[in-house]
Amino acid sequence: MNSTVHSGREVRYARRKRVNGVATALSMAAMAFGLFWLFWILFETVRLGLGGLTQATLTQMTPPPNDAGGLANAIFGSFLMVLLATFVGTPIGIMAGIYLVEFDSKSWLATATRFVNDILLSAPSIVIGLFVYAVVVTRFKSFSGYAGVIALALIVIPVVIRTTENMLQLVPSGLREAAYALGAPKWKVVLSITLRAARAGVVTGVLLAVARIAGETAPLLFTALSNQFWTSSLSEPMASLPVTIFKFAMSPYENWQALAWAGVFLITLAVLGLNILARVLTRTKS
């Protein structure tokens, strides 16, 4: 009897071991498949991007076909719109996240806010661009940098809200109770205790939001459009790096294609740097 039970256990153990081996092999194969394409994309980006990256790329305006030039106006336009969108969207997202955790976490308004925020998080960016186009561009009858800032800010806000809410929920309730026991008002507890304890995670969320909007093309096609010349006026159409890459990459001109790859390389470096910084902040927090 004991030998029969023992042999049955060995059979089940061997079967589980085979299944585990097959599952591990399939997982490793899937990981290798994904890494292969990732490294191929990065290799092509570095190879072709470095080839088109010169001093003129950073100092000259976007050129006409078959002429020398650079991406200075597109880089400046992207930097300005991303910067302003971050300044607009970050305070709104942080304050909304604080409200959802610290002030009114279970009311109908909080539930509705979370529901709308989930929709915005999953909505394609082109939908947001079309919304801003219908509300802003058609009303003022002009593409503009302001419309681009609004579209990018609407992408930043839900990311910051979700990150702020999650990070504040991780702060122990004992910290709040200790502050209240000492007589601190609620606004002081939020600013000096909970928000300070979660600041690394909140900053990480902001950086991830910036990394997301840095490469957005669809919203800017319907809002800021593009501009071949240097402009610092947000009331006019403004060049941006993603839109310029899209336009140049689709062209048959070799100089435009080389500049498109250089722009891809610059965006890749920027997004990689932001993600590394976010990882460092998260590791420091943990």
Side-chain angles (χ1 to χ4, degrees), residues 2-215:
N2 292 334
S3 61
T4 304
V5 173
H6 183 69
S7 61
R9 289 177 179 175
E10 288 183 347
V11 170
R12 289 193 297 271
Y13 174 75
R15 184 171 61 250
R16 288 196 298 266
K17 190 174 181 180
R18 287 194 301 270
V19 172
N20 181 71
V22 171
T24 302
L26 291 176
S27 300
M28 296 296 292
M31 182 186 68
F33 181 77
L35 289 177
F36 169 76
W37 295 107
L38 175 62
F39 282 114
W40 192 0
I41 293 172
L42 291 177
F43 174 76
E44 291 296 318
T45 299
V46 173
R47 182 177 67 88
L48 297 174
L50 285 177
L53 193 62
T54 62
Q55 183 177 357
T57 305
L58 305 176
T59 58
Q60 297 183 14
M61 304 301 105
T62 48
N66 299 320
D67 202 354
L71 299 169
N73 55 329
I75 295 172
F76 173 77
S78 283
F79 175 78
L80 183 60
M81 286 189 285
V82 169
L83 183 67
L84 292 177
T86 304
F87 283 157
V88 171
T90 298
I92 297 174
I94 292 177
M95 288 188 290
I98 291 174
Y99 171 80
L100 292 175
V101 177
E102 302 294 339
F103 291 93
D104 198 4
S105 61
K106 297 182 179 179
S107 68
W108 67 267
L109 180 59
T111 303
T113 301
R114 292 190 183 95
F115 177 73
V116 173
N117 193 65
D118 291 339
I119 294 176
L120 287 175
L121 276 174
S122 58
S125 59
I126 192 172
V127 175
I128 296 176
L130 285 171
F131 169 76
V132 177
Y133 173 83
V135 173
V136 179
V137 176
T138 56
R139 178 167 298 184
F140 293 95
K141 295 179 171 47
S142 174
F143 296 97
S144 65
Y146 286 118
V149 170
I150 294 172
L152 295 180
L154 289 177
I155 299 175
V156 170
I157 290 172
V159 177
V160 178
I161 289 177
R162 174 56 59 83
T163 307
T164 303
E165 182 183 7
N166 290 340
M167 291 301 104
L168 290 178
Q169 288 175 345
L170 295 177
V171 178
S173 300
L175 291 177
R176 300 180 179 88
E177 295 171 358
Y180 290 139
L182 294 174
K186 193 173 187 64
W187 67 268
K188 190 72 172 179
V189 174
V190 172
L191 290 179
S192 301
I193 305 298
T194 57
L195 193 58
R196 179 172 294 183
R199 65 181 182 274
V202 173
V203 173
T204 299
V206 174
L207 293 176
L208 294 177
V210 173
R212 179 181 175 185
I213 64 174

